[in-house]
Structure formats: C-alpha cells, structure tokens
C-alpha cells in the first residue's frame, strides 16, 4: 500500500530520496528551508500542503538534514513534528550524528508513540535518486516494520545492525572516517603526482585500476579532472562528520591521528571559501600550497 511520507531536507541526498519515494508510488511531501527546492519537487509530482497540516496523515518521516541539532529541531523544536504524528508513524533519521544522540531521539519518540529508526545513509546523490542507497539501520523490529516500504523504495542494501538506535550511527562514523580520509588522500596523491609530471587525467586512468584506488578516488577524482566542483557532497560536510568521529574517538580514549590530519585539510578548504563546493575541492588546498594549477583554473 502507498505510504504518506514527508522528506525533511531536500539537499542533494534528500531530494533523491524524495524522488525515489515518489517513483515507488508513495504520496510524498518534500520540505526544505529553500522554497525553490520545494516547488521544484512539487512540479515533479510531490504532494502539496504545509507540514503542520499534513503531519497527522504521515506514515513516515525521513529526516535528511545536516546534523544532530537540526534533526532535534525538526523533531522536537518549537514547531517539532513528533507530537503531531499519529501513533505508529516512523521517523527515519538519516543525518550523521553521535550514537548517544540517536538513542536519545529514539527514547523521546517512543514516549510519543512514534517509532524511530537510526538510519544513516551512504551512496551519494545519484544512488539516492535511483533508490539504491546503502542504509546502516538500527531500531526496534516495530520500527523496521513501519519503515519497510520506505526502505524498499530508497535502498539497494539495508544493513540491520541492532534492535535499538545507536549502532547505525556508530557504523556511519566508521564509514565517514574512511570516506573523509580517502577524499583527502586522493587529493594529496593526485596533486603529488602533478609535481612529478603525472597529469590528473592520467592519474585517474592508471590509479583507478591499481591497488591504491578507492571508491572515493574513482568517484571524486574525475571532478578535479573536469574542473567541475558542483557539490554532490560539499566540503562543509566533512568538518562536521570528521568532527563527530573525533568526538566519539575522544570519548572512547581512542587516538585517530589520520582522521585529525584529514579534518585539518577540509577546515583549510572551508577557510579558503570552498565550503560550498564539491568535497573534491580539498585538492585546491594542496594545489595552492604547492603552486600547482588544477584543470579548469587559470595558470
């Protein structure tokens, strides 16, 4: 049966998720502080109506915002959604957040008779639009059951990591450690190669077929070759996500020096005014420091 669903946050990932829900036949509302995105989604078939007016009809809410503070504001802020949801509705929370925060949100939702699924996502904007994400999910069996139709619409792979919130966010932190480090390392390797006469396109051609490759290298390095930094995932994501990784590491008395080094490069990129660009733009930090000219830039 079609669900009535709201996607909160129509950025590059949330918009694709909303499209996937719509394509699966669900009545799908899309909401964002950027009204242009809302209107665009409605022009593609998204349902109209103010959030306050449709909240009581929703079977599922997918929260695809930036961080824990925004997630909590959507759910329990001054105009928080959870008190208006019907009993048995499910919240799928997709932002990268600390595991303790996910557990806190689960408890608060349960107190209101609402299911909560700790459901961080991975795969990028293209897979989001294809309904082919990987979802690292944790929550009570009832939460999984309530979210089943939406998971089917949005994910190629759903990892069931536990019967309470927290393990999904823990796994996402592990993934983000690797992803952020891989992007920064790709940028370092590509620009290092340039100092040795290895052109960026040649770097991609060769290294993508060698043991030093990674999914992030194969996905992001072509952005540098094309000189196209249209954000599919922005630089600004990484000070937040790697910051969460280091906060968790600190609480576990775990040293994560490689993560810390990668974080500094993203902070430097943001400080150069590149925060809104694709995260491959971290290569510009290395290029600036080495006096290199990347493709698409003036010599």
């Amino acid at each position: 049966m079609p669900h009535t669903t709201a996607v909160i946050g129509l950025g590059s990932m949330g918009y694709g998720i909303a499209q996937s829900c719509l394509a699966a036949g669900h009545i799908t509302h899309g909401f964002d502080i950027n009204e242009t995105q809302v209107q665009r989604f409605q022009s593609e078939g998204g349902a109209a109506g103010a959030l306050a007016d449709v909240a009581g009809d929703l079977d599922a809410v997918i929260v695809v915002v930036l961080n824990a503070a925004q997630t909590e504001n959507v759910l329990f802020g001054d105009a928080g959604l959870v008190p208006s949801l019907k009993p048995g509705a499910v919240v799928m929370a997709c932002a990268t957040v600390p595991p303790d925060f996910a557990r806190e949100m689960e408890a608060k939702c349960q107190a209101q008779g609402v299911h909560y699924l700790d459901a961080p996502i991975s795969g990028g904007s293209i897979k989001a639009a294809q309904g082919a994400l990987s979802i690292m999910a944790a929550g009570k069996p009832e939460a999984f059951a309530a979210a089943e139709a939406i998971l089917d619409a949005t994910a190629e792979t759903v990892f069931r990591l536990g019967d309470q919130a927290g393990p999904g966010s823990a796994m996402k932190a592990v993934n983000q450690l690797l992803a952020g480090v891989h992007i920064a390392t790709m940028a370092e390797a590509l620009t290092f190669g340039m100092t040795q006469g290895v052109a960026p396109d040649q770097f991609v051609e060769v290294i993508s077929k060698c043991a030093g490759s990674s999914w992030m290298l194969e996905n992001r390095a072509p952005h540098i070759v094309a000189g196209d930094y249209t954000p599919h995932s922005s630089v600004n994501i990484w000070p937040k996500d790697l910051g969460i990784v280091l906060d968790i590491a600190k609480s576990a008395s775990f040293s994560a020096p490689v993560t810390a080094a990668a974080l500094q490069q993203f902070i430097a990129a943001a400080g150069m005014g590149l925060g809104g660009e694709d995260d491959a733009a971290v290569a510009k930090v290395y290029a600036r420091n080495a006096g290199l000219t990347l493709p698409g830039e003036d010599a």
Side-chain angles (χ1 to χ4, degrees):
M1 294 291 293
H3 276 44
T4 301
T5 301
V7 179
I8 314 296
L10 296 176
S12 59
M13 295 292 282
Y15 200 95
I17 287 172
Q19 288 176 312
S20 294
C21 290
L22 195 61
H26 299 299
I27 300 167
T28 307
H29 300 266
F31 299 99
D32 195 276
I33 57 173
N34 183 347
E35 187 60 28
T36 300
Q37 288 291 84
V38 176
Q39 293 173 1
R40 175 188 166 203
F41 182 61
Q42 289 180 2
S43 74
E44 296 177 0
L51 182 56
D53 295 334
V54 304
D57 298 325
L58 297 174
D59 299 302
V61 178
I62 309 172
V63 184
V64 200
V65 293
L66 183 64
N67 54 26
Q70 290 183 6
T71 299
E72 185 167 21
N73 186 58
V74 166
L75 299 180
F76 297 106
D78 293 340
L81 189 56
V82 169
S84 300
L85 296 177
K86 62 187 178 184
V90 62
V91 170
M92 275 180 53
C94 299
T96 302
V97 301
D100 285 346
F101 173 83
R103 286 186 278 268
E104 178 188 349
M105 291 298 101
E106 179 184 56
K108 293 180 72 171
C109 284
Q110 287 177 342
Q112 300 275 352
V114 171
H115 302 300
Y116 181 93
L117 198 64
D118 176 26
I121 53 180
S122 183
S125 59
I126 294 174
K127 285 192 174 183
Q130 294 171 340
L133 289 170
S134 294
I135 299 184
M136 294 158 267
K140 295 189 177 301
E142 297 85 353
F144 275 102
E148 183 177 4
I150 302 305
L151 292 171
D152 287 345
T154 57
E156 182 176 60
T157 306
V158 178
F159 297 99
R160 296 185 65 142
L161 300 174
D163 60 5
Q164 63 178 6
S169 288
M171 188 65 76
K172 181 62 184 292
V174 173
N175 182 76
Q176 295 308 86
L177 184 161
L178 287 166
V181 166
H182 286 173
I183 294 169
T185 305
M186 172 279 295
E188 184 169 311
L190 183 149
T191 48
F192 167 68
M194 290 176 68
T195 70
Q196 303 305 305
V198 176
D201 58 344
Q202 188 179 41
F203 167 89
V204 173
E205 178 185 2
V206 174
I207 300 300
S208 64
K209 301 297 188 294
C210 295
S213 189
S214 67
W215 189 93
M216 282 299 189
L217 185 152
E218 293 174 26
N219 184 267
R220 300 300 205 271
H223 300 177
I224 300 171
V225 172
D228 182 359
Y229 298 95
T230 303
H232 297 278
S233 174
S234 71
V235 166
N236 279 338
I237 293 293
W238 294 103
K240 172 188 73 76
D241 284 10
L242 294 183
I244 289 172
V245 171
L246 290 178
D247 286 344
I248 297 170
K250 182 179 179 181
S251 69
S253 299
F254 179 82
S255 175
V258 177
T259 305
L263 172 60
Q264 290 307 310
Q265 296 303 98
F266 288 109
I267 290 173
M272 289 170 60
L274 305 175
E277 295 191 9
D278 189 84
D279 49 27
V282 71
K284 296 181 182 181
V285 176
Y286 291 95
R288 178 197 63 182
N289 292 341
L292 300 170
T293 301
L294 293 173
E297 296 185 334
D298 295 331

